[in-house]
Amino acid sequence: MKARRVLIPAAGGIALGALLLPGTALADTTVSPSTTPVGGTVVLTATGCNPKSGDAIFRVTGPDRDQNVRSTTAAAGGGLSAELFTAGFTLGTYTVAATCGDGTADGSATFTVTPIGGAEAGGRDGDDGAGTLATGATLLATALGGAVIVARRRHAVTAATH
């Protein structure tokens, strides 16, 4: 009976991590290039969005923006994409969060607007999944660590009473 009290919360934590990790690993929003001068164009792509499920909405937030950009354009590599012209943008870093037509989130990415003649344009801004794997590993380690702590406390209480 006592082992169940320890194993059930640990199994629940592991199951939750296993359910959440694949969804975040598949979410993939990209911005290309990741650095652009004022007046440049960036391409926003939500690769996890199915064009048949409706439009993707890209929410762009930053120093002087909080706007939505709607996309119905199928991206060459899959998903949906839109072009964003940065004329009138303030210098700084902007975050793009995508939501697919079926309401699922497709992750986020950032891009930086620089002065004209500023930093050279870069490529895709992404984390190659390292953050997602770290999150999954943290969930797993926390669940297992919690189970070990509870088991040790129960063992100490049992030993003290006998």
Side-chain angles (χ1 to χ4, degrees):
M1 186 71 162
K2 292 179 182 181
R4 281 189 185 170
R5 290 183 193 163
V6 173
L7 293 177
I8 291 173
I14 292 169
L16 179 62
L19 289 173
L20 294 177
L21 187 59
T24 58
L26 295 175
D28 195 16
T29 296
T30 61
V31 179
S32 181
S34 62
T35 303
T36 188
V38 173
T41 301
V42 292
V43 177
L44 315 174
T45 305
T47 58
C49 292
N50 183 347
K52 294 179 183 177
S53 296
D55 302 349
I57 302 294
F58 297 96
R59 183 168 183 188
V60 180
T61 56
D64 68 341
R65 298 284 164 184
D66 188 356
Q67 73 182 68
N68 290 327
V69 179
R70 181 179 298 272
S71 172
T72 59
T73 305
L80 293 166
S81 67
E83 289 187 355
L84 179 64
F85 187 53
T86 62
F89 276 53
T90 298
L91 303 181
T93 301
Y94 294 81
T95 300
V96 178
T99 303
C100 301
D102 61 4
T104 59
D106 194 57
S108 64
T110 60
F111 69 95
T112 302
V113 176
T114 61
I116 295 175
E120 186 175 313
R124 173 180 176 237
D125 183 35
D127 68 355
D128 72 359
T132 301
L133 292 177
T135 301
T138 301
L139 285 170
L140 180 61
T142 302
L144 292 175
V148 168
I149 289 170
V150 170
R152 286 185 180 171
R153 285 187 181 166
R154 295 218 183 269
H155 179 68
V157 168
T158 304
T161 59
H162 289 294

